[in-house]
Amino acid sequence: MFEFKIKNSEEKARVGELTLNKNVINTPCFMPVGTAAAIKAMSTSEVSNLGYNIILANTFHLMLRPGVEVIKKHGNLHNFMQWDGSTITNSCGYQVFSLAKLRRITKEGVHFLSPIDGQKVFLDPKKSIWLQEQFNADIIMQFDECTPYPADKKTAEESLQLSLIWGKESKSSLEKEDSNLFGIVQGGIYDELRDMSLDGLLNIGFDGYAIGGLSVGETSEERNMILDNITHKMPFDKPRYLMGVGKPEDIIEAVKRGIDMFDCVIPTRNARTGYLYTKKGLLKIRNSKYKDDLNPIEDDCECYTCRNYTRSYLKHLDNCKEILGLRLNTIHNLYYYYKLMEDIRSSIANNNFYNFIKKFYKNREV
Amino acid sequence: MFEFKIKNSEEKARVGELTLNKNVINTPCFMPVGTAAAIKAMSTSEVSNLGYNIILANTFHLMLRPGVEVIKKHGNLHNFMQWDGSTITNSCGYQVFSLAKLRRITKEGVHFLSPIDGQKVFLDPKKSIWLQEQFNADIIMQFDECTPYPADKKTAEESLQLSLIWGKESKSSLEKEDSNLFGIVQGGIYDELRDMSLDGLLNIGFDGYAIGGLSVGETSEERNMILDNITHKMPFDKPRYLMGVGKPEDIIEAVKRGIDMFDCVIPTRNARTGYLYTKKGLLKIRNSKYKDDLNPIEDDCECYTCRNYTRSYLKHLDNCKEILGLRLNTIHNLYYYYKLMEDIRSSIANNNFYNFIKKFYKNREV
């Protein structure tokens, strides 16, 4: 079952419900990243206790380690990692672009060497979709080429055309009736190419539409410009997913422009290097001024970490490289992101999103 | 409040209850090691959910990082690390022996350079006890010299005499009326020196007696020989603590010889390198044969890890160096140790300890 309902909109921003099988996901939503079938430093029950019911997993990584056969032997990815919520898997497009060695892209697919053991790997739309269906992902992404940044117009156009061909092949490769496939808009920083890409995808027809090729080095102005042009042309009644974004302010700006779904490694990665989210911005727990600070990371934060531990203790754990520090920091950052999305949703539901945004930026200035 | 009651004995082995303030600890007990005010990879609530209500913390490490002032600012060590159970702190003797650089031992105390920042540090009985009282530890260890192994008889005798002097000074350094101080028997592998050390300690008088200078390289035969000679000479009605021991079989052999308390980093350290405890012995999760093994670590194990995850998933997490792997492995190993102690206790309570031992070794042979 796949159903998307918009419950309220405020200008371009929308609050909605995405029903995936028996799981209802409130949108706009943030999806923590479980690259290798684990959200770094977290257990799945901790992730779920924070409120999350959808995570992203990386087909590229799981294909290489542990391999599809191992996951298949567990039945599916949910069983393998003991995750009761929904799962979206990416198609490898971005990882082939960022991680694969000696890649060679042809119309048929991509040849590359595994960054893990140097083995030759070939991926095409058929294989990417097959893998994702084997994992039993609730949302499957089309196989695409992530256009690099910067890319001249000709390169960006060739790239988006290839992604369109692969999008069509991805759709025709689906073998399960209940698979939910998202198309990916490419086109670099060129509005007319983004339009061309979207038109092509609409002709094919998908269950949802993602914007790819962002969060790859462009400025936030460029990203917002692209969103300003494209989002409202995407089907109103289908979920819109901005891949790989991002910081709290990036998410807010994208929601304002009509995006419903996000994923990003930044809250978990920042946690592990001691950067903690607060209303005022990032707090660097490594700073010596926290050595004997008895306050929680944030005074009114209700997360497990803030309810129990002082900045002083967290700084000590970071200093001693204790695993518990990585855990407590990650819990805080993922709580912050969950609460952020919850506040975004309730403000849109109450037609109060623009006040929320004003307050968000005002807090940053204190 | 400090009260120790023996509930039953079977030959030299005893099952008892140690009441520390409002906390009742069933003995024989194993105390997980929280070197830097954190049990590696674990949260205190996870440790406590496993059943543990006493942990060991390292005065040496905490003195250097975060420093006594920081802990004192939190009130005590319990508050700092959010641990509701009891805490025993060691006196630095062992750490000065194993970690300190350029140490120089005089009758007054030990001069050494901090292994963290090279700063000059001086420790004596007075300072060691003061630190432990500042932490508000429920059990405090006397300052001692950990006699190295091997040590000739003359060295071992000089060393134990120094520890006796320091033991006396440790006792007279106590400032809090409700502090519970344990003396430490030294004497290397020489029975008559162990006797001499114990006699000296008994003249001073302590709340409990520990055996130190073991788990430093001696064979298990040597260790058991020392225990055979000394344990029954230690006061029957006081807790006996074998410091830094050990493997499951070491613990069983020591309980058989009348020991009540243990601490060791081995279950948590082994967990982080993928060595997992089972009835049959250690399982090395890194072994390629577990790649697609759908069984839990141990079939009838009731721990969180075994109830939820396959060997295959744990091997995958280890392979990908996922933090969750360290966590799940540690939960299993600490559960194994808790269950081991519980089984030891109930078998002694039922005068069935020797059957338990037989079964333990028989399982190993399968």
Side-chain angles (χ1 to χ4, degrees):
Chain A
M1 181 176 173
F2 183 92
E3 198 177 81
F4 185 58
K5 274 192 296 192
I6 301 287
K7 290 163 66 188
N8 195 35
S9 329
E10 189 179 352
E11 304 200 7
K12 285 184 178 177
R14 327 95 72 74
V15 59
E17 268 180 16
L18 173 61
T19 307
L20 281 175
N21 303 316
K22 280 176 192 163
N23 194 11
V24 178
I25 295 143
N26 296 309
T27 64
C29 70
F30 177 79
M31 305 179 286
V33 178
T35 304
I39 310 288
K40 291 204 185 305
M42 299 286 281
S43 71
T44 46
S45 55
E46 284 166 343
V47 173
S48 137
N49 287 340
L50 286 171
Y52 292 102
N53 60 358
I54 181 166
I55 58 167
L56 177 132
N58 287 93
T59 304
F60 180 84
H61 292 85
L62 295 176
M63 168 188 67
L64 300 175
R65 282 194 304 198
V68 66
E69 301 76 18
V70 169
I71 293 174
K72 197 59 204 152
K73 210 166 171 188
H74 288 76
N76 54 45
L77 181 58
H78 299 75
N79 291 351
F80 180 59
M81 67 185 290
Q82 290 291 304
W83 169 245
D84 284 336
S86 302
T87 306
I88 180 168
T89 46
N90 55 17
S91 63
C92 301
Y94 179 78
Q95 282 71 30
V96 166
F97 154 80
S98 61
L99 295 175
K101 288 175 186 169
L102 287 181
R103 70 177 177 284
R104 188 165 57 82
I105 301 177
T106 71
K107 211 173 162 180
E108 285 66 45
V110 187
H111 297 268
F112 62 91
L113 301 184
S114 158
I116 290 163
D117 58 8
Q119 291 252 320
K120 281 185 195 173
V121 187
F122 175 69
L123 256 181
D124 61 5
K126 204 174 163 64
K127 173 125 188 244
S128 171
I129 297 303
W130 179 80
L131 286 165
Q132 296 181 72
E133 285 193 331
Q134 296 305 302
F135 298 156
N136 212 19
D138 299 284
I139 297 177
I140 284 174
M141 300 304 297
Q142 73 148 95
F143 192 62
D144 67 331
E145 186 193 29
C146 183
T147 311
Y149 175 90
D152 61 40
K153 207 169 169 182
K154 186 165 166 291
T155 310
E157 183 170 351
E158 283 167 8
S159 172
L160 86 83
Q161 293 295 358
L162 184 63
S163 286
L164 279 179
I165 296 169
W166 287 353
K168 201 170 174 178
E169 286 177 22
S170 294
K171 191 172 173 183
S172 64
S173 301
L174 291 174
E175 289 184 0
K176 292 189 182 175
E177 218 166 277
D178 58 348
S179 280
N180 307 306
L181 183 68
F182 279 28
I184 303 176
V185 179
Q186 292 287 349
I189 56 160
Y190 308 99
D191 282 349
E192 53 186 285
L193 297 186
R194 289 279 172 184
D195 290 347
M196 187 188 293
S197 173
L198 178 58
D199 283 344
L201 294 174
L202 291 173
N203 283 334
I204 304 167
F206 291 91
D207 298 304
Y209 295 86
I211 300 180
L214 292 181
S215 215
V216 291
E218 80 286 353
T219 65
S220 22
E221 288 72 26
E222 286 172 319
R223 188 184 327 120
N224 290 333
M225 183 204 76
I226 292 163
L227 297 179
D228 279 333
N229 163 65
I230 198 75
T231 328
H232 62 281
K233 300 174 186 164
M234 296 165 84
F236 183 80
D237 58 349
K238 302 276 186 198
R240 303 163 179 165
Y241 163 31
L242 181 55
M243 301 176 80
V245 172
K247 294 180 197 162
E249 53 273 29
D250 299 336
I251 290 178
I252 287 173
E253 292 302 324
V255 167
K256 194 162 90 179
R257 290 164 174 86
I259 298 291
D260 307 304
M261 300 167 72
F262 300 89
D263 79 281
C264 192
V265 297
I266 205 170
T268 43
R269 181 176 291 165
N270 266 339
R272 297 196 306 283
T273 52
Y275 287 90
L276 305 173
Y277 287 94
T278 76
K279 283 196 213 62
K280 294 181 186 172
L282 280 174
L283 178 154
K284 185 182 174 183
I285 200 67
R286 231 157 260 186
N287 194 313
S288 62
K289 73 179 168 187
Y290 299 125
K291 188 172 161 58
D292 55 5
D293 186 336
L294 299 191
N295 293 300
I297 302 167
E298 186 150 54
D299 263 339
D300 55 354
C301 176
E302 292 287 322
C303 85
Y304 175 78
T305 307
C306 286
R307 279 186 286 112
N308 289 288
Y309 298 98
T310 63
R311 292 171 176 173
S312 169
Y313 184 64
L314 296 173
K315 178 180 165 43
H316 166 69
L317 293 179
D318 179 83
N319 194 21
C320 295
K321 300 191 176 31
E322 284 288 343
I323 292 162
L324 181 59
L326 310 178
R327 295 178 54 180
L328 295 175
N329 292 350
T330 305
I331 287 172
H332 174 81
N333 279 1
L334 283 182
Y335 178 90
Y336 175 94
Y337 264 66
Y338 191 81
K339 189 72 174 47
L340 173 72
M341 302 313 292
E342 207 170 49
D343 290 348
I344 288 174
R345 289 193 294 267
S346 71
S347 69
I348 302 172
N350 297 311
N351 298 305
N352 199 31
F353 184 49
Y354 284 80
N355 273 331
F356 169 83
I357 298 178
K358 208 183 286 171
K359 207 172 139 194
F360 175 88
Y361 285 115
K362 206 176 159 196
N363 280 328
R364 288 282 174 110
E365 287 161 14
V366 177
Chain B
M1 181 177 175
F2 182 95
E3 199 177 81
F4 184 59
K5 274 193 294 194
I6 303 285
K7 290 161 66 188
N8 195 36
S9 330
E10 190 179 351
E11 304 202 8
K12 284 184 177 177
R14 329 100 65 80
V15 59
E17 267 181 15
L18 173 61
T19 307
L20 281 175
N21 303 316
K22 282 177 193 165
N23 195 10
V24 178
I25 295 142
N26 296 309
T27 62
C29 69
F30 177 78
M31 306 179 285
V33 178
T35 305
I39 310 289
K40 291 206 188 299
M42 298 286 281
S43 71
T44 46
S45 54
E46 284 166 343
V47 173
S48 135
N49 287 340
L50 286 171
Y52 291 102
N53 61 358
I54 181 165
I55 60 168
L56 178 133
N58 285 93
T59 304
F60 181 83
H61 292 85
L62 294 176
M63 166 188 70
L64 300 175
R65 283 194 303 197
V68 65
E69 302 76 17
V70 169
I71 292 173
K72 198 58 205 152
K73 211 169 169 184
H74 288 77
N76 54 46
L77 181 58
H78 298 74
N79 290 350
F80 180 58
M81 67 184 292
Q82 290 292 304
W83 169 247
D84 283 338
S86 302
T87 306
I88 180 169
T89 46
N90 55 17
S91 63
C92 301
Y94 179 77
Q95 284 69 31
V96 166
F97 154 78
S98 59
L99 297 174
K101 290 175 185 168
L102 287 180
R103 67 179 180 284
R104 187 164 57 81
I105 302 176
T106 71
K107 210 172 160 179
E108 284 66 44
V110 188
H111 297 268
F112 61 92
L113 301 185
S114 158
I116 290 162
D117 59 7
Q119 291 251 322
K120 281 184 194 172
V121 186
F122 176 69
L123 257 180
D124 61 4
K126 202 175 166 62
K127 174 124 187 246
S128 171
I129 298 302
W130 179 80
L131 286 166
Q132 296 182 74
E133 286 194 329
Q134 296 305 302
F135 299 155
N136 211 20
D138 298 286
I139 297 177
I140 285 173
M141 300 305 296
Q142 75 149 88
F143 192 62
D144 67 332
E145 186 192 29
C146 183
T147 311
Y149 174 90
D152 61 39
K153 205 166 170 184
K154 186 165 167 286
T155 310
E157 181 169 353
E158 283 169 7
S159 173
L160 86 84
Q161 292 295 357
L162 184 61
S163 287
L164 279 179
I165 296 170
W166 287 352
K168 199 169 176 180
E169 284 177 21
S170 294
K171 188 170 176 186
S172 64
S173 299
L174 290 174
E175 290 185 358
K176 293 187 180 176
E177 216 165 281
D178 57 351
S179 282
N180 307 307
L181 183 68
F182 279 28
I184 303 175
V185 179
Q186 292 287 352
I189 54 158
Y190 307 98
D191 282 348
E192 55 183 284
L193 296 186
R194 290 279 172 183
D195 290 347
M196 187 189 291
S197 174
L198 178 59
D199 284 344
L201 293 174
L202 291 173
N203 283 334
I204 303 168
F206 292 91
D207 299 301
Y209 295 85
I211 300 179
L214 291 181
S215 214
V216 291
E218 80 285 353
T219 64
S220 21
E221 288 71 27
E222 285 172 318
R223 188 184 327 119
N224 291 333
M225 180 204 78
I226 293 165
L227 297 178
D228 279 334
N229 164 65
I230 197 74
T231 327
H232 61 281
K233 300 174 186 163
M234 296 164 82
F236 183 80
D237 59 347
K238 302 275 184 196
R240 303 164 179 165
Y241 163 31
L242 180 54
M243 301 177 82
V245 173
K247 294 180 199 163
E249 54 273 29
D250 298 337
I251 290 179
I252 288 173
E253 292 301 325
V255 168
K256 194 162 91 178
R257 290 162 174 85
I259 297 291
D260 307 303
M261 301 168 71
F262 300 89
D263 80 281
C264 192
V265 296
I266 206 171
T268 44
R269 182 177 289 164
N270 267 338
R272 297 197 305 285
T273 52
Y275 287 90
L276 305 173
Y277 287 92
T278 76
K279 283 196 214 61
K280 295 182 185 171
L282 280 175
L283 178 154
K284 186 182 176 187
I285 199 69
R286 230 158 261 186
N287 194 312
S288 62
K289 73 178 169 186
Y290 299 125
K291 189 173 162 54
D292 54 6
D293 186 336
L294 299 191
N295 293 301
I297 302 167
E298 187 149 53
D299 263 339
D300 56 353
C301 176
E302 292 288 321
C303 85
Y304 175 78
T305 306
C306 287
R307 279 187 287 113
N308 288 287
Y309 298 98
T310 62
R311 291 171 176 173
S312 170
Y313 184 64
L314 297 173
K315 177 180 168 41
H316 166 70
L317 293 179
D318 179 83
N319 194 20
C320 295
K321 300 189 174 35
E322 284 287 343
I323 292 162
L324 180 59
L326 310 177
R327 294 178 54 182
L328 295 176
N329 292 350
T330 306
I331 287 172
H332 174 81
N333 278 0
L334 283 181
Y335 178 90
Y336 175 93
Y337 264 67
Y338 190 80
K339 188 75 174 44
L340 172 73
M341 302 314 292
E342 209 169 47
D343 290 349
I344 288 175
R345 288 192 296 265
S346 70
S347 68
I348 302 172
N350 296 311
N351 298 306
N352 198 32
F353 183 50
Y354 283 80
N355 273 332
F356 168 84
I357 298 178
K358 209 183 285 173
K359 205 171 141 196
F360 175 87
Y361 286 114
K362 205 179 162 196
N363 281 328
R364 287 282 173 110
E365 285 161 17
V366 177

